[in-house]
Amino acid sequence: MKVADADFALDRREQTVTSAVRDYWARVRGGELGALPSIFSLASLVILFTALRPETFLSERNIANLFVQAMSVTILALGLVFVLLLGEIDLSAGVTSGVCAAVMAKLMTEAGQPWYVTVPAALLTGLVIGTCIGLLVAVVRIPSFVVTLALFLGLQGVTLRLIGEGGTVPVRDEVIVALANDNMPIWLGWTLAVLCTAWFAASQLLRWRRQRRRGLARRPLGLVLAQIAVVGAALLGLTFLMGLDRAPSPAIVLNGVPWGVPLVGVLVITATFVLNRTVYGRHVYAVGGNAEAARRAGIHVTAIRMSVFMIASTLAAVAGMVDASRLNSVTPDAGAGNVLLYAVGAAVIGGTSLFGGKGRARDAVLGGLVVTVIINGLGLLGSPAYMQMLITGGVLLLAASIDALARRRQAATGR
Amino acid sequence: MADVADEKTPVLRLAGVNKSFGAVKVLHDVDFAVYRGKVTALVGDNGAGKSTLIKCIAGIHPIDSGQFYFEGRPVSISTPRDAAALGIEVVYQDLALADNLDIVQNMFLGRERRRGLVLDEASMEESARQTLSKLSVRTVKSVRQLVSSLSGGQRQTVAIAKAVLWESKVVILDEPTAALGVAQTRQVLELVRRLADTGHAVVLISHNMNDVFEVADRITALYLGRVAADVAREEVTSTQVVELITAGRSGDLGLASTAESM
Ligand SMILES: Nc1ncnc2c1ncn2[C@@H]1O[C@H](COP(=O)(O)OP(=O)(O)OP(=O)(O)O)[C@@H](O)[C@H]1O
Ligand SMILES: [Mg+2]
């Protein structure tokens, strides 16, 4: 044993940015890719589509469009991250979002209920569906693949029954419609962006200082500052872009951050907090990494297994409502078709592993953006539907291959 | 009532424990005792029931009949939490560490410290490091390393440190040196001795007679799910123990008639 490596040398030595970058690179080569694939593909896709459609792709209007389109994919993927962390799958998340949206829309049009009744009702519907899946998977121990495949079919029937063949239920409630169609006042957007940046910077720096004072393992200050700069630039840059006028005619002004964006932000931040900072989150990772070890540590594995399906289906309800808002209506095929594939693709492209134990809330955002850029870009190119299907399916396979290969590499290098 | 401080009173005693898996009877009327400050070696051939016995003690397998006594009191252990609450810690043959978590997270798994809602990472990291230092663990670079990046000996060390972290009274080690090289075996055996010297009752399962005779104070031999002998180390030779393991008896030691138990 080398002397330099003994006695928690890495924890005691003040790490420099260079050594941290070297460690990071070693981890990447060992198969721990982190956010690299998603950031890399996002950058190359943006460059590609900008080159192919220089007028439209990066127009103010399309950028706002992108974010509105990305909202429901991201929320759905966020729920799936919890399920995937346990190495399980929820194939019914998409159609669950459809059922919940249908419940909300029906309650509004037929019972005349306001949003503060219909939204909880939709959330409750999601929770009930998630509880059923959870019971069947965690208690009865049917593979989640089978349970949710059955529900994938069954729940489409429910939506069809609720809405009726060929029917469409319009969504007119102002609050719901506002989610995807209205924008925050410019001042509010900036205030939120600045507050979030400041809060992120403060929490990161305070944590770093606390770790240094108590002599704990920590990242080098340079990296912390760089991360703060990146997050701040993203938040403020986005607010700026969304603040530009994107009205189709010069007669009116259309600008500001869509209301749905802060909603996604709150959900992602909450999920990050739950996964990284709470006992529950730690147990989710433990069950995903080694369920037997978790069980022996006294963790209630069945309860954890149930809970992730409940979270996924409830978030699916939110995604369904956001989509209903974007489309101003709910149709019998809401949440069917590619919706689930996009969401799983988003989570996996973002870096969440299909094998369980590895994944973060932010994966849903990064992967959600990648998937949306693909859909949106292909739409702008006017590619036929079959091409879009082929390409999106291919991208999911590619992401899953990267996941599997990274895992093999990790096993080979003992990480 | 037995005196807790009494050296003669076992910290943990099992009386007449039986355990079957379906039609297969794995443990027959097992009596077993472990003492404070002593290393008790549990030996037996493959499939003798050693792992099953400790899983019963750990509350992983419910026993069919029999009684546990902890510091003289009759207790029931039906879940891992019951065992942990009594101060019984097990380091399993397969270690049961979560590869995707780091050393600190593994050591505190299931018993995380909190501050309100939030995990108290700082205090957990400090305690983990203290425990590792106390056990003179010198080969770990960072307590924030993922467990998947550790060597076999390091993983074993983490698993043992995890058991010690909890003011445990009984520490059970299932073949801790099985997969280790010479140097790492030495380190782990030293660790085992240190555990006993710091007042733990230690159970060591091992197939290696050198290991057993190096650190054990008492030796309990299991033969096909029955206790063949429970003796002090000084009373037996390595050859006798090997006979107890393979045949269930050795001279006047061991089961009365092995033919009957077959
Ligand atoms: N969960 C189980 N279900 C059914 N049979 C089991 C189970 N666990 C163990 N057994 C059986 O019980 C017997 C004792 O197994 P055990 O693992 O306790 O042996 P061991 O003494 O630890 O052996 P080794 O030295 O190989 O680790 C074996 O015959 C085994 O097949
Ligand atoms: Mg065994």
Side-chain angles (χ1 to χ4, degrees):
Chain A
M1 200 77 241
K2 278 178 293 175
V3 181
D5 283 346
D7 285 344
F8 324 120
L10 277 188
D11 292 352
R12 294 189 183 183
R13 200 189 316 136
E14 188 82 22
Q15 240 192 333
T16 62
V17 174
T18 359
S19 78
V21 168
R22 204 165 344 103
D23 281 357
Y24 174 72
W25 187 235
R27 281 206 303 277
V28 168
R29 292 181 29 144
E32 247 179 89
L33 299 175
L36 267 193
S38 52
I39 288 177
F40 180 76
S41 37
L42 195 58
S44 29
L45 284 168
V46 167
I47 292 170
L48 177 74
F49 286 126
T50 312
L52 292 174
R53 284 288 177 276
E55 262 86 65
T56 42
F57 183 72
L58 276 191
S59 68
E60 291 87 5
R61 212 139 94 85
N62 196 47
I63 291 177
N65 251 342
L66 263 172
F67 280 93
V68 171
Q69 274 182 319
M71 291 189 308
S72 67
V73 183
T74 302
I75 298 172
L76 208 53
L78 186 61
L80 283 170
V81 166
F82 283 81
V83 174
L84 291 173
L85 272 176
L86 291 202
E88 306 275 357
I89 185 78
D90 184 356
L91 298 175
S92 65
V95 291
T96 299
S97 77
V99 170
C100 298
V103 166
M104 175 197 74
K106 287 287 270 190
L107 276 177
M108 271 186 306
T109 49
E110 268 162 43
Q113 296 296 331
W115 67 271
Y116 50 82
V117 175
T118 58
V119 170
L123 292 175
L124 190 68
T125 310
L127 186 64
V128 169
I129 294 174
T131 311
C132 294
I133 302 175
L135 281 172
L136 290 170
V137 173
V139 181
V140 187
R141 294 303 273 138
I142 309 171
S144 55
F145 168 77
V146 176
V147 172
T148 57
L149 188 60
L151 281 186
F152 175 74
L153 198 67
L155 290 177
Q156 288 185 63
V158 174
T159 314
L160 190 58
R161 174 74 186 74
L162 279 175
I163 295 179
E165 201 124 9
T168 303
V169 184
V171 173
R172 297 212 185 80
D173 185 283
E174 276 175 20
V175 175
I176 303 290
V177 169
L179 271 182
N181 296 291
D182 277 351
N183 304 309
M184 292 196 284
I186 298 293
W187 65 266
L188 184 57
W190 279 109
T191 314
L192 272 184
V194 169
L195 279 182
C196 283
T197 309
W199 173 75
F200 181 73
S203 67
Q204 293 291 314
L205 288 173
L206 284 178
R207 162 131 54 119
W208 185 84
R209 207 183 62 174
R210 197 170 55 236
Q211 287 171 333
R212 192 175 72 153
R213 220 183 25 231
R214 296 177 69 164
L216 304 176
R218 64 196 173 276
R219 296 178 302 167
L221 187 57
L223 273 197
V224 176
L225 291 175
Q227 194 188 19
I228 293 172
V230 170
V231 169
L235 281 174
L236 299 174
L238 217 99
T239 314
F240 172 76
L241 278 177
M242 302 278 201
L244 300 175
D245 181 21
R246 53 178 181 267
S249 83
I252 47 168
V253 178
L254 178 63
N255 60 4
V257 179
W259 280 105
V261 172
L263 171 71
V264 175
V266 168
L267 292 175
V268 171
I269 290 170
T270 310
T272 304
F273 174 81
V274 167
L275 285 176
N276 293 348
R277 309 293 298 276
T278 67
V279 172
Y280 170 76
R282 180 66 38 87
H283 290 182
V284 168
Y285 281 102
V287 174
N290 188 341
E292 181 57 23
R295 195 170 72 92
R296 290 185 198 163
I299 295 172
H300 207 316
V301 175
T302 310
I304 300 278
R305 249 193 215 118
M306 276 198 64
S307 68
V308 294
F309 288 100
M310 293 159 75
I311 291 173
S313 299
T314 309
L315 282 172
V318 180
M321 292 187 277
V322 170
D323 239 4
S325 163
R326 182 167 64 88
L327 303 168
N328 286 308
S329 67
V330 181
T331 52
D333 63 350
N338 320 340
V339 173
L340 180 88
L341 186 125
Y342 289 155
V344 174
V348 176
I349 292 167
T352 297
S353 172
L354 290 164
F355 301 99
K358 192 175 133 243
R360 299 163 173 232
R362 68 148 197 237
D363 297 351
V365 179
L366 289 174
L369 283 174
V370 173
V371 167
T372 312
V373 165
I374 296 175
I375 307 171
N376 175 289
L378 290 177
L380 288 183
L381 293 183
S383 26
Y386 79 88
M387 271 308 277
Q388 298 196 17
M389 289 181 181
L390 275 176
I391 291 178
T392 334
V395 169
L396 176 56
L397 271 187
L398 184 70
S401 314
I402 292 175
D403 178 27
L405 290 176
R407 191 180 146 86
R408 270 180 41 189
R409 175 124 193 129
Q410 283 180 356
T413 53
R415 282 202 166 267
Chain B
M1 200 69 213
D3 183 3
V4 170
D6 185 356
E7 282 278 299
K8 291 281 180 305
T9 308
V11 181
L12 176 72
R13 186 161 74 83
L14 279 64
V17 167
N18 286 287
K19 172 74 195 167
S20 310
F21 291 108
V24 192
K25 186 144 190 199
V26 179
L27 298 178
H28 300 257
D29 277 324
V30 170
D31 297 332
F32 183 56
V34 296
Y35 301 85
R36 203 181 129 80
K38 300 254 189 289
V39 177
T40 306
L42 183 59
V43 297
D45 220 342
N46 293 118
K50 307 180 296 295
S51 298
T52 307
L53 180 63
I54 60 155
K55 281 178 183 164
C56 289
I57 298 176
I60 289 182
H61 294 322
I63 55 172
D64 301 338
S65 63
Q67 182 64 52
F68 292 109
Y69 298 91
F70 196 81
E71 296 177 336
R73 287 173 291 123
V75 291
S76 80
I77 299 176
S78 44
T79 67
R81 275 187 195 281
D82 295 344
L86 290 172
I88 301 173
E89 289 294 327
V90 184
V91 179
Y92 294 95
Q93 203 164 3
D94 55 6
L95 295 187
L97 299 170
D99 273 355
N100 60 334
L101 298 182
D102 66 32
I103 295 177
V104 180
Q105 293 171 339
N106 265 292
M107 285 176 67
F108 279 87
L109 194 59
R111 285 174 279 199
E112 290 82 3
R113 283 190 200 150
R114 281 185 304 175
R115 246 207 201 140
L117 252 185
V118 185
L119 289 165
D120 190 353
E121 297 284 0
S123 118
M124 289 194 278
E125 186 174 324
E126 280 171 349
S127 301
R129 194 171 296 150
Q130 261 169 25
T131 306
L132 286 168
S133 315
K134 221 174 0 190
L135 296 174
S136 321
V137 174
R138 310 214 155 270
T139 59
V140 172
K141 274 193 244 176
S142 164
V143 288
R144 288 299 183 183
Q145 244 175 310
L146 288 187
V147 161
S148 56
S149 69
L150 299 179
S151 74
Q154 288 173 327
R155 294 166 67 96
Q156 188 62 251
T157 312
V158 170
I160 294 176
K162 178 183 177 185
V164 177
L165 190 60
W166 300 106
E167 304 292 316
S168 43
K169 294 183 174 157
V170 179
V171 179
I172 303 174
L173 307 161
D174 194 354
E175 299 196 34
T177 57
L180 302 187
V182 180
Q184 296 196 333
T185 298
R186 179 121 324 280
Q187 280 173 9
V188 169
L189 288 180
E190 275 166 19
L191 197 55
V192 170
R193 197 60 246 174
R194 222 170 296 138
L195 286 181
D197 294 345
T198 49
H200 295 88
V202 183
V203 178
L204 172 74
I205 296 183
S206 180
H207 286 289
N208 186 323
M209 285 309 122
N210 292 333
D211 292 3
V212 169
F213 276 84
E214 182 170 339
V215 291
D217 301 299
R218 295 195 64 80
I219 299 174
T220 302
L222 272 188
Y223 178 72
L224 296 176
R226 292 167 204 272
V227 177
D230 179 13
V231 290
R233 180 194 50 190
E234 302 79 41
E235 297 168 11
V236 285
T237 63
S238 178
T239 327
Q240 278 178 303
V241 175
V242 172
E243 275 174 25
L244 285 168
I245 291 171
T246 51
R249 56 180 296 113
S250 165
D252 42 343
L253 274 177
L255 296 164
S257 165
T258 49
E260 259 172 36
S261 66
M262 293 302 279

